[in-house]
Amino acid sequence: MSLSRFIIPLSCISTSDSSMITSTAKKNKNTATALCFEDTNERIKNMFNKVELSISSYDTAFVAMIPSSTSPHAPFFPQCLNWLLDNQLVDGSWGLPDHHPLLINDALLSTLACILALKQWGIGEDKMNKGLKFIESNLTSINDDKQHHPIGFDIIFPSLIEYAQNLGINLPIGAASLEAMIQKRDKELQRGFQSDSEGWKAYLAYVSEGMLNSLDLNTVLKYQRKNGSLFNSPATTAAAFQHLKNADCLSYLQSVLEKSGNAVPTVYPLDVYARLHMIDSLERLGINHHFKEEIQSVLDETYRYWLQRAEDIFLDPTTCAMAFRMLRLNGYDVSSDPFYEYSEDKFANSLKGYLKDVGAVLELYRASQVIIHPDESILVKQSSWTRNLLKQDSSPYQLYTDKIRIYVDNEVNDVLKFPHHANLERLLNRRSVEHYNADETRILKTSYRSCNLANQEILKLAVEDFNLCQSIQNKELKQLSRWIVESKLDKLDFARQKLAYCYFSSAATLYSPELSDARISWAKNGVLTTVVDDFFDVGSSEEEQVNLIQLMEKWDVDVNTVFCSEAVKIIFSAVRSTICEIGEKSVERQGRNVKDNVIKIWLDLMRSMFTEAEWSRTKTIPTIDDYMQNAYVSFALGPIVLPALYLVGPKLSDDASENQELDHLFKTMSTSGRLLNDIQGFKRESEEGKLNAVSLHMVHGNGVVTYEDTTDKLKGVIEDNRRELLRLVLQEKGSFVPRDCKDLFWKMMKVLNLFYMKDDGFTSNEMHSTVNAVLKDPIILDELLVDSKRHPPPKAVEV
């Protein structure tokens, strides 16, 4: 649903009187914001229809070098040669305009390749001389360790220098420098030939345009794809065609030029990856709800490619992992079997494994976190070895073949600190916005950019969306603060005041403006369950506990005469008014009042808490089964999650099959939460003389079962329940509960795992700043765009 429909009414929400002029100004501003949203949305939607890639001077030069089939003295593709003549940069180089300062070597390589193409056809002497001056001025960057080397640079660059010398080009390179480059190349070649690994062979084939005089190009053709290309690389394919005259190579080159015009990108096609990456970015930035139809269309198409085992997915571990993760998380039935082809040893022996590509490792790790079947051992192993590689500070996988290092470090740190099951959407959205590189440059054998992979339009929409939602949430939080005072909940001295955290957990997961009722319900019931928990735990007598439960059972009571204490009156009145409010709001979405359902949910919770209080009063030690059967209810997620189901949109019935599925979802979620709580709270509760799952396992273990044994066992149960919950949420066949409703259980699971994280989790100060990041501190767009203004986007072609 478009945010614009929720913008204009906001001007009417105010905690104080305002003048007519101020109100009108707000309306005008909101209307302008809505129009801005609409325009930005349309531009982003259009990006789904086409993938645009920057032109590669490097690859275009190799295509331009191909002689005509009718005359060896004329180019096969003269349009490419003309493009080179027309697109030299002011500084004499060829390549991306305003290239990143760490990509001088990329500019050197592209410039040298373009000089060779012009020299081969005896044209553009002035441009060649300007290019040679650029090389002379920047050659020292070759020995600068901070510079990013394109893939194969140490092999290709010295080889092209040798070729230039054979053509009689007077390169401004000293004999010592050239000798050092050649020795470095030869050492790399020697190590590779000695290893004789499949990864090395694939790498050598990929950079074969730099090995024309020493490589049997017929061996390269084993890597030819169905589209005729070698690695989807125009440069590699052009070099192979020039020497082997392979018809499929020619067909590929012609198809690329047919799409792109007079020049070629450095990789083609990139459609599957680019569109998946675009969806992934929209989800991470929290604006995917604006593009539901476009995303659905792309995922449907990707699923067809998956079933067809398309090369663009299955020949690339990065794309394969991304497609698997996104398809599975969106309910498509995809098997994890393809990852047997990317097991630890096989990946290490592949091209991306040889290149130490952390981007591929990162995507494989993300994919491993969506295990939903008990027999997916391949994903368990994949999670282990990819995580270990990502964690190693000295790992060789700190080299990046596709992005500049400083931008990937943020991704690696983020995915390690916040696994999928503990990654609250709004926290992820904020981090992703703040780390978003709107003018991202990627590097293969040369650098490239694509508006589909990163652009300012997406960033602007993400910032505006975040700040708009935050402004709405600020008003809701003030409203809730008044409710606590009006309900006198702040007068209960025994009760913890956790409004900020309760509302944070709802705002960080149910952040869309149209989910306001669900957010309010979630937060109010979160506050009330905390109060009721403290009431049964430390704030009441047995008489008061019985009184509260009886009031809930009778419901229609005289609120002035039936309370045995002021605390009971305050709690019952607050719970009752909240339940009635939810019932009234449910009529609009459900077509019925669900008040009775919510009363039952609250009664189940209070009775379970009373049972625990009785165990404590009578010093009863329950069996583990009895404890867990009661404890998953007393953990108090029922009133928070279950009433919100009626307020997120889809209709729910009281059908037995639907209720059974909801019960399974609830028990699976709550069991994990209870065990997370009991493990972390074991020390404190033991000191207070209270029993929980950890202490009960040790008590019933007759002194043989240790704390470590127990926690290891319970962590296994938590993991099993977490995977089962994800399976239930993603399951479509045989499911009666709408996906939007099932998602609430997984959202709560994320909240629980975040709040109960240890080691690299949150301290109280970190949690305070985290709450502020979602609810209080707006994102300043201008600060994010400072660097972007220094690097305007390059010319791009639609492919």
Side-chain angles (χ1 to χ4, degrees), residues 338-474:
F339 292 111
Y340 284 102
E341 296 301 316
Y342 298 115
S343 59
E344 184 174 10
D345 55 338
K346 289 184 178 180
F347 178 79
N349 207 25
S350 69
L351 174 59
K352 289 205 168 180
Y354 179 83
L355 294 172
K356 313 299 182 190
D357 185 354
V358 74
V361 177
L362 193 63
E363 283 302 331
L364 287 168
Y365 177 65
R366 285 173 172 153
S368 72
Q369 296 182 57
V370 291
I371 300 173
I372 59 175
H373 300 302
D375 56 349
E376 292 188 307
S377 59
I378 183 62
L379 292 182
V380 176
K381 295 175 182 176
Q382 185 170 302
S383 176
S384 176
W385 70 261
T386 52
R387 180 175 177 82
N388 288 337
L389 283 176
L390 294 172
K391 285 174 66 177
Q392 295 170 14
D393 291 336
S394 60
S395 169
Y397 282 79
Q398 292 301 302
L399 303 173
Y400 308 122
T401 66
D402 195 37
K403 299 181 185 179
I404 296 175
R405 174 169 182 161
I406 56 175
Y407 299 118
V408 180
D409 282 341
N410 288 328
E411 291 185 57
V412 173
N413 294 334
D414 192 80
V415 78
L416 289 176
K417 186 170 184 178
F418 300 102
H420 177 66
H421 59 264
N423 212 355
L424 266 64
E425 284 91 335
R426 224 42 179 166
L427 293 179
L428 171 63
N429 299 157
R430 174 135 200 164
R431 294 193 307 271
S432 298
V433 168
E434 292 175 341
H435 296 159
Y436 190 80
N437 179 19
D439 294 292
E440 180 180 73
T441 300
R442 297 193 172 208
I443 308 97
L444 294 170
K445 285 183 289 189
T446 187
S447 56
Y448 71 100
R449 297 177 193 152
S450 169
C451 66
N452 301 84
L453 301 180
N455 68 78
Q456 290 188 12
E457 295 286 352
I458 290 177
L459 178 61
K460 289 177 181 177
L461 179 62
V463 171
E464 291 179 3
D465 185 288
F466 186 95
N467 290 339
L468 171 64
C469 292
Q470 188 182 72
S471 69
I472 294 171
Q473 292 160 7
N474 273 324

Side-chain angles (χ1 to χ4, degrees), residues 50 86 152 166 176 213 233 249-250 262 332 336 376 420 451 473 517 522 529 539 569 588 616 645 654 676 695 764:
K50 56 185 178 182
D86 294 338
N166 292 337
N213 297 326
S233 166
C249 288
L250 176 60
N262 299 330
Y332 295 84
S336 57
E376 292 188 307
H420 177 66
C451 66
Q473 292 160 7
D517 288 345
W522 181 300
T529 55
K569 180 179 181 179
E588 179 182 349
S616 178
L645 298 176
D654 281 329
L676 283 166
S695 55
S764 58

